[in-house]
Amino acid sequence: MNTVLRALSFRLIQAGGVALVVGVMSFLMMQAMPGDMAYRIAAARYGYDLVSADLADAVRAELRLEAGPFAQFLRWMGDLAQLDMGRSLVSGQPVWQEIAHQLGASLQLAAAAMGLSMLIGPPLGIFAGLHPGGWFDRVLLVVAAGFRAVPQFLLGLVLIVVLAVQLRLLPAAGHGSLAHFVLPALTLALGLAAASARIARDAMAAVAASPHYAFARAKGLTEAQILRRHGLRNIAAPLVTYLGLQFVMLAEGVVVVETIFGWPGIGHALIHAVFHRDVPMVQGTALVMGLGFVLLNAVVDLIVRHIDPREVQA
Amino acid sequence: MTASRLGWGLLVALICFALLAPLGDPLGPFRQSLTKALSGAEAAAPFGYDHLGRSMFSRLAHALRLSLLLAFAATATAAAIGIAFGALASWRAGWIDRALSLLADSMLALPALLMVLMMGVILSSTPLAFWAGLAAVQWIEFFRLTRSAARSHLASPAAVAATLQGFGPIWIFRRILWPEIGPMLRTTIAFGVANSIAAIAALGFVSVGMRAPTPELGLMMVELLPSWREAPFALLQPVLACFTLLLALNLIAGARK
């Protein structure tokens, strides 16, 4: 129990660190923008149509902008600590509202990609790991290395040109029907599957060579029974841990893939926000991605502890 | 071993092309001859022309120069910062160690592309933003590597004996830590450079990286995509260059265990 609490408090501190880093970066972004700070904040708060010199002066007085950048920084971090992210400089809507709207689409895509990669990667890896050094193992090694050398945008480009434009099997871009899921999810899943197949293969090969696996075989269990009762759980621990770390790769992939396939999620929103220098939106999406990583890894910590209750891992 | 040798061969060949090709090139990456748009190879432009009639040969070489230079600069910076911080954290321990580890853990949660994009808003120059953003993400790996190696070796009898004989921290780092960290660096550096090159191309491809006339691999792909039916080879060139470069670096990094 104690170690669970320690792990969770580490994640909590990490979340605080993420918010701090994102806050500092966003403040620097705000400072780097051209134009008068008071006007910009007034526009962010009340909308571009309503900004006037009086309103800007009111903001200047209220926030004591003359007090210098350090006081402004404290104010900025104070707003962030109260989870007040302000309004989008482009749409005028509160940032939370915009992100809540887009996060759903991103989570759907991420979940579809994760699910698809789980169907492709680990089964291939387990099969290869059961016969290490065999022809399948060697082929998988080369194919996985090839896929890892292809960045996701390049894979997306190839899939669009071959499956959507040339063969006309699937829509190249868009959002709404099930068919729109296939290409972006497949683009993300192939890269993830290549990596998880390697992890599953190495874990399976190690487990299959272990004494307890040999003993299970000596007991007279069938290969399928041994795999089910003695293999899968042992592979699950490193695989689930790796999934947590993969989140950064997934988040990065989501940014690129959503933009290429016109998927209305937070990655798409981030690129647009950067394009329009919409700092509150950049801060919001960065925070969601960073905290998403921490949250997912907290869940992974708990799951791994459940799969493997021995407290051997540091 | 042969895989890693193949990787080195490909990398050296690409670097040679990037360095040498512009020397004997009469056209340069920006000269347009619109009548030759998308036309095939000829003596002045051995790889043909792009949609604006610019020499693909010249643009490809300059794009590779840019990607390689930025990626190596970012990774070298990250290695210097990460190793210095890692050595500092394990040498000083206490709150410095905790603060640096927390910073590393916090930045670990942020994807590299996000960091580059945020740097792009802060810094006005795009190459500078790539350099700072990529270095800001990659130092973490070097930091963790150095810190964990240092932790196990600073307590070793050799390090204790050296300290007792009055050798300073720099001597201990150079003679005891460096031989441990050095061999592990190849994999980390190769992956770092590969990730940087992929990030530069990915952001170019979604039009938030390098700006238009600059020859850059991702940007060239997205520019040539609309005319891929008329000139598939023109599109294939940056795609193949990018893939070969990443494959070479992955092969160099790959020989683990």
Side-chain angles (χ1 to χ4, degrees):
Chain A
M1 201 58 215
N2 222 349
T3 54
V4 174
L5 280 181
R6 200 179 306 150
L8 286 184
S9 65
F10 166 72
R11 292 297 175 195
L12 213 59
I13 294 171
Q14 191 186 19
V18 169
L20 195 67
V21 170
V22 171
V24 170
M25 298 280 290
S26 305
F27 179 73
L28 291 176
M29 284 192 269
M30 208 65 183
Q31 290 283 318
M33 295 228 298
D36 185 50
M37 187 87 171
Y39 270 95
R40 251 181 288 129
I41 294 173
R45 277 194 186 169
Y46 312 110
Y48 267 110
D49 315 339
L50 300 172
V51 181
S52 62
D54 294 341
L55 216 47
D57 284 338
V59 167
R60 204 190 311 273
E62 186 205 329
L63 299 184
R64 292 188 293 277
L65 288 184
E66 270 75 34
F70 186 67
Q72 285 175 34
F73 176 68
L74 289 184
R75 167 76 59 167
W76 179 268
M77 295 309 285
D79 281 351
L80 186 60
Q82 292 165 36
L83 295 180
D84 176 7
M85 313 269 293
R87 287 164 182 272
S88 160
L89 298 182
V90 173
S91 71
Q93 299 292 316
V95 167
W96 277 131
Q97 214 168 310
E98 294 264 313
I99 288 181
H101 185 69
Q102 290 141 352
L103 191 59
S106 283
L107 288 179
Q108 280 176 358
L109 181 61
M114 257 323 191
L116 206 55
S117 81
M118 284 289 97
L119 286 179
I120 303 171
L124 292 178
I126 288 172
F127 187 76
L130 283 173
H131 313 280
W135 68 267
F136 185 79
D137 187 26
R138 273 174 296 170
V139 170
L140 186 72
L141 194 72
V142 173
V143 173
F147 269 106
R148 274 188 309 171
V150 182
Q152 275 150 333
F153 79 94
L154 209 53
L155 201 58
L157 174 71
V158 172
L159 288 178
I160 287 180
V161 167
V162 174
L163 291 180
V165 183
Q166 201 68 344
L167 300 175
R168 301 195 174 280
L169 289 177
L170 294 157
H175 173 65
S177 76
L178 202 60
H180 288 124
F181 262 106
V182 181
L183 281 186
L186 194 64
T187 307
L188 284 172
L190 286 176
L192 297 177
S196 62
R198 274 307 300 275
I199 302 286
R201 183 245 167 238
D202 290 348
M204 186 71 236
V207 171
S210 70
H212 79 263
Y213 217 74
F215 178 63
R217 205 172 272 140
K219 275 196 300 191
L221 299 181
T222 65
E223 285 297 320
Q225 279 173 321
I226 308 176
L227 180 63
R228 235 184 8 255
R229 309 217 25 128
H230 298 282
L232 290 185
R233 193 165 176 157
N234 280 308
I235 310 165
L239 204 56
V240 172
T241 309
Y242 183 68
L243 287 186
L245 296 176
Q246 246 185 347
F247 180 84
V248 168
M249 201 173 144
L250 186 65
E252 203 158 87
V254 162
V255 171
V256 172
V257 165
E258 278 179 358
T259 312
I260 295 177
F261 291 96
W263 193 269
I266 60 166
H268 197 232
L270 171 69
I271 298 283
H272 271 254
V274 165
F275 213 81
H276 296 292
R277 297 290 188 265
D278 186 351
V279 175
M281 276 300 288
V282 176
Q283 169 167 271
T285 45
L287 211 54
V288 167
M289 284 185 189
L291 295 182
F293 173 86
V294 177
L295 182 68
L296 188 78
N297 277 285
V299 174
V300 162
D301 286 348
L302 294 180
I303 293 177
V304 169
R305 250 156 247 271
H306 181 74
I307 293 175
D308 184 1
R310 298 170 301 175
E311 306 209 330
V312 223
Q313 317 107 303
Chain B
M1 267 299 94
T2 50
S4 140
R5 203 169 293 164
L6 178 66
W8 279 112
L10 287 174
L11 184 65
V12 168
L14 283 168
I15 291 177
C16 285
F17 172 70
L19 288 181
L20 301 179
L23 297 181
D25 169 41
L27 292 174
F30 301 114
R31 165 93 64 87
Q32 294 185 351
S33 26
L34 286 169
T35 48
K36 290 181 185 164
L38 294 176
S39 64
E42 59 176 44
F47 293 171
Y49 292 87
D50 74 353
H51 60 301
L52 295 175
R54 296 172 294 194
S55 161
M56 284 298 292
F57 179 76
S58 176
R59 288 184 70 73
L60 211 55
H62 280 92
L64 281 171
R65 271 188 178 190
L66 178 78
S67 286
L68 285 166
L69 183 69
L70 270 181
F72 275 107
T75 307
T77 312
I81 294 174
I83 292 171
F85 277 7
L88 181 72
S90 47
W91 177 46
R92 273 290 151 96
W95 68 268
I96 290 184
D97 182 26
R98 251 171 285 153
L100 284 173
S101 298
L102 176 63
L103 184 66
D105 284 329
S106 311
M107 293 179 82
L108 185 71
L110 298 172
L113 291 187
L114 182 68
M115 205 57 115
V116 173
L117 287 173
M118 292 205 286
M119 287 292 183
V121 181
I122 297 173
L123 304 167
S124 53
S125 139
T126 320
L128 215 57
F130 270 115
W131 170 74
L134 292 169
V137 176
Q138 287 178 7
W139 72 274
I140 301 165
E141 191 60 35
F142 293 100
F143 170 75
R144 303 184 130 205
L145 195 72
T146 312
R147 184 169 168 268
S148 68
R151 283 206 142 188
S152 52
H153 288 282
L154 281 187
S156 70
V160 174
T163 316
L164 284 177
Q165 289 187 6
F167 286 106
I170 294 174
W171 191 91
I172 293 180
F173 176 81
R174 213 157 45 94
R175 306 296 302 199
I176 296 178
L177 280 184
W178 186 250
E180 293 299 324
I181 309 166
M184 290 192 275
L185 284 181
R186 190 196 56 182
T187 302
T188 318
I189 288 178
F191 271 131
V193 174
N195 287 339
S196 304
I197 284 167
I200 296 167
L203 287 183
F205 191 76
V206 295
S207 322
V208 283
M210 289 294 167
R211 302 282 158 71
T214 315
E216 193 278 319
L217 293 173
L219 203 57
M220 287 166 74
M221 290 179 212
V222 78
E223 284 170 353
L224 289 164
L225 187 56
S227 39
W228 75 276
R229 256 181 227 283
E230 295 84 55
F233 282 114
L235 174 61
L236 209 56
Q237 285 169 32
V239 170
L240 274 184
C242 185
F243 175 73
T244 315
L245 192 50
L246 293 176
L247 186 70
L249 289 162
N250 269 296
L251 287 176
I252 293 169
R256 47 172 193 175
K257 112 161 104 153

